[in-house]
């Protein structure tokens, strides 16, 4: 079982909907990450939070809005998405920020935009 | 700057045969290197990592990889393939120093198929 929990596992939403993805970890990690993975492609970094502050935004469109309410929780708010945003969204955490050698991934949320 | 090249988007081996997945890297600083496995509809699981200690790294599920600086390679091997090894495998690199300023760079992935 993964130590990073993502909910929901699957999500189908229309282009006018507003939805949120949730990620939770209880390992005491202080950095959390969102990745987007299209089918048959490697993951692409979207955001990095360090000590609950946004430290990296990889030029992600504003229809994706991250939020880190506390050190254990990471949300990704979705609004006015496009069909090409359909992908697997992966959350990860690490002990320290940008500790790329220590990433722990969740199982992802499979998002379909109709 | 850093990059990873995985040779072969698909590799097919028979059950019980040797598994060899190839990874070559480029990095302007000493690298950390990783192999991740991704089963269908799951996240990434770390198989093994090289962090400048022993050049032969043993990981989970019987996999190992050898760091060869002269060849800039980090190939993944397993002596005997099992049906449960069928998955997508990603090689990744990050710079050893500076907290990985260039982030974690993934290869395009290799789909491993196990023939019964």
């Amino acid at each position: 079982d993964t130590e990073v929990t993502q909910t929901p596992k699957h999500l189908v939403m229309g282009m006018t909907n507003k939805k949120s993805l949730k990620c939770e970890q209880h390992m005491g990690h202080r950095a959390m990450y969102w990745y987007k993975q299209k089918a048959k492609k490697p993951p692409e970094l979207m955001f990095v939070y360090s000590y609950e502050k946004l430290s990296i935004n990889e030029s992600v469109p504003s229809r994706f809005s991250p939020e880190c309410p506390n050190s254990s929780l990471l949300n990704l708010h979705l609004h006015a998405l496009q069909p090409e945003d359909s992908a697997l969204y992966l959350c990860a955490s690490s002990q320290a920020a940008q500790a790329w050698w220590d990433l722990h991934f969740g199982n992802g949320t499979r998002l379909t935009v109709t | 700057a850093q990059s990873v090249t995985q040779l072969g988007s698909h590799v097919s081996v028979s059950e019980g045969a040797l598994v060899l997945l190839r990874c070559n890297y480029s990095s302007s600083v000493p690298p950390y290197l990783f192999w991740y496995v991704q089963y269908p509809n799951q996240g990434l699981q770390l198989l093994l990592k090289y962090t400048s200690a022993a050049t032969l790294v043993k990981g989970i599920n019987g996999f190992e990889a050898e760091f060869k600086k002269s060849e800039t390679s980090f190939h993944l091997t397993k002596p005997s393939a099992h049906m449960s090894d069928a998955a997508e495998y990603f090689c990744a690199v990050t710079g050893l120093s500076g907290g990985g300023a260039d982030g974690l760079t993934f290869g395009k992935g290799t789909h491993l198929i196990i023939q019964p």
Side-chain angles (χ1 to χ4, degrees), chain B residues 4-9 22-24 35 89-91 107-110:
Chain B
V4 172
T5 301
Q6 291 184 239
L7 285 174
S9 59
R22 299 178 188 274
C23 172
N24 288 91
W35 276 100
Y89 291 78
F90 292 98
C91 183
K108 292 186 176 182
T110 297

Side-chain angles (χ1 to χ4, degrees), chain B residues 2 25 27-32 50 52 67 69 93-97:
Chain B
Q2 58 197 30
Y25 72 92
S27 177
S28 56
V29 298
Y32 282 168
Y50 166 76
S52 77
F67 171 68
K69 185 179 177 181
V93 64
T94 190
L96 179 60
S97 62

Side-chain angles (χ1 to χ4, degrees), chain B residues 2-110:
Chain B
Q2 58 197 30
S3 66
V4 172
T5 301
Q6 291 184 239
L7 285 174
S9 59
H10 290 77
V11 169
S12 180
V13 302
S14 298
E15 191 175 17
L18 172 72
V19 175
L20 171 60
L21 303 183
R22 299 178 188 274
C23 172
N24 288 91
Y25 72 92
S26 171
S27 177
S28 56
V29 298
Y32 282 168
L33 292 156
F34 311 84
W35 276 100
Y36 287 92
V37 61
Q38 186 173 33
Y39 299 102
N41 298 315
Q42 292 192 22
L44 295 178
Q45 182 181 6
L46 182 66
L47 271 179
L48 48 79
K49 61 184 174 184
Y50 166 76
T51 55
S52 77
T55 56
L56 182 62
V57 182
K58 293 188 186 299
I60 61 172
N61 302 339
F63 284 93
E64 64 180 37
E66 186 172 8
F67 171 68
K68 292 188 177 180
K69 185 179 177 181
S70 61
E71 299 177 9
T72 61
S73 69
F74 190 57
H75 301 331
L76 182 71
T77 61
K78 181 174 180 178
S80 177
H82 192 273
M83 295 300 291
S84 60
D85 294 326
E88 191 78 18
Y89 291 78
F90 292 98
C91 183
V93 64
T94 190
L96 179 60
S97 62
D102 289 334
L104 184 65
T105 300
F106 288 93
K108 292 186 176 182
T110 297

Side-chain angles (χ1 to χ4, degrees), chain A residues 37 42 98 100-101 105-107 110, chain B residues 34 38 43-44 49 99-100 103 107:
Chain A
Q37 186 179 22
Q98 300 180 54
W100 309 106
W101 54 88
F105 284 90
N107 280 332
R110 176 77 60 188
Chain B
F34 311 84
Q38 186 173 33
L44 295 178
K49 61 184 174 184

